[in-house]
Amino acid sequence: MKELFSKFGRIQKNDLEFHEIFENFAFGEVYDYSTLTEKESILATLASLIACQSPKAFKKILSAALDMDLAPEEAKELLYQSVPYVGFGRAHNFFGIIIKVFEAKGIDLPLLPERSNTTPENRHQKGRELQEKFFGAEYIQNMNDNAPDGQEHFNRFLEGFCFGDFYTRDGLDDQLREFITFVLIVSLGSCENQLRAHTQANLNVGNDKEKLVSAITVIMPYIGFPKTLKGLAIVNDVCG
């Protein structure tokens, strides 16, 4: 994975001391304690950089990752998946970065296959089905039943927009989408209720505690110790 950090030539040229410290930790020691695949590590890193608002680092690592094991379609779907969680205000600049990196690589983004599996008529139904798969039908029904008066529409947004429009897409399987969501929420910080729910959802779709701890391990250099320790505390509490 050190080839990813080799793209940060300006740091290496002008501050070799920091470059060596960070490279040895973030692209060396950290991986001694992770069981993620190379692709999972790349997706986790890129997702964290979106949530942390690090467009320059994202661009450099994306460019290197496309020469490794990351498919253009997976990069596109990673960004799509981020929108309901970080918001379009944060994700907006990264669409431009992907376009520029793809153009430099000779990848024609408009020619990538469309991966939507819903229509305006069935997006809520399809979204609800996935919500129930990830969280359980009883959990979702209770959430809807207990919505405060005048705020029921936010649950409809979750059902149709978040899950109907995005989770139903091809290009990433359920495990990877929920894994990416977990990374985004940990990286955002201060989203404890959502992190608890999505930690359990990861378990429900087949991602185990070891994978979640490995994800936090890999992104720790980007999010810092406070968010890391808060994320680990919640994982330990939910997973036991």
Side-chain angles (χ1 to χ4, degrees):
M1 295 294 291
K2 283 194 174 184
E3 54 265 44
L4 293 178
F5 198 57
S6 66
K7 294 291 185 178
F8 292 82
R10 181 174 295 180
I11 296 177
Q12 185 175 21
K13 179 180 178 181
N14 294 286
D15 196 340
L16 181 60
E17 183 178 19
F18 176 79
H19 187 279
E20 290 181 348
I21 291 171
F22 192 77
E23 181 183 45
N24 290 336
F25 179 62
F27 294 89
E29 186 177 6
V30 159
Y31 286 94
D32 293 337
Y33 297 90
S34 169
T35 58
L36 299 182
T37 66
E38 181 177 84
K39 180 173 291 185
E40 289 168 344
S41 297
I42 290 171
L43 288 170
T45 300
L46 291 173
S48 186
L49 291 172
I50 292 172
C52 292
Q53 290 292 276
S54 300
K56 291 183 179 179
F58 178 91
K59 180 179 180 180
K60 291 179 181 295
I61 290 180
L62 173 63
S63 180
L66 289 169
D67 294 330
M68 297 165 62
D69 193 33
L70 186 70
E73 181 180 31
E74 291 167 331
K76 174 184 174 181
E77 291 302 321
L78 164 71
L79 184 54
Y80 274 42
Q81 185 67 20
S82 76
V83 172
Y85 294 97
V86 305
F88 184 65
R90 285 177 177 263
H92 173 258
N93 287 337
F94 293 89
F95 281 89
I97 290 169
I98 281 186
I99 291 169
K100 289 181 180 179
V101 171
F102 279 17
E103 287 177 345
K105 298 283 185 183
I107 300 167
D108 195 334
L109 180 57
L111 292 183
L112 291 181
E114 294 185 2
R115 290 302 186 180
S116 177
N117 285 309
T118 59
T119 66
E121 292 74 29
N122 68 12
R123 56 195 284 270
H124 284 281
Q125 174 194 342
K126 297 295 185 181
R128 177 65 177 261
E129 290 171 359
L130 276 184
Q131 283 183 305
E132 293 179 351
K133 176 181 178 181
F134 282 31
F135 301 100
E138 183 178 357
Y139 178 95
I140 297 300
Q141 188 62 52
N142 286 338
M143 181 181 73
N144 290 332
D145 289 344
N146 292 308
D149 290 342
Q151 298 177 25
E152 300 89 348
H153 59 286
F154 289 106
N155 288 341
R156 288 283 289 171
F157 292 164
L158 277 170
E159 181 182 88
F161 181 66
C162 182
F163 282 87
D165 290 338
F166 292 102
Y167 270 93
T168 59
R169 295 175 60 83
D170 292 329
L172 296 171
D173 61 26
D174 288 345
Q175 287 180 307
L176 275 177
R177 285 195 183 274
E178 191 55 26
F179 172 78
I180 289 167
T181 296
F182 172 83
V183 170
L184 290 166
I185 296 173
V186 172
S187 300
L188 286 170
S190 301
C191 303
E192 290 84 357
N193 290 339
Q194 291 76 20
L195 185 56
R196 286 182 182 279
H198 283 278
T199 297
Q200 185 61 55
N202 268 274
L203 299 179
N204 292 346
V205 299
N207 293 327
D208 59 16
K209 180 180 179 180
E210 182 180 19
K211 178 171 283 191
L212 301 183
V213 172
S214 289
I216 295 176
T217 301
V218 167
I219 66 174
M220 182 265 141
Y222 306 100
I223 67 174
F225 278 102
K227 289 179 181 178
T228 295
L229 297 177
K230 182 183 291 186
L232 284 173
I234 290 175
V235 168
N236 288 330
D237 185 45
V238 174
C239 299

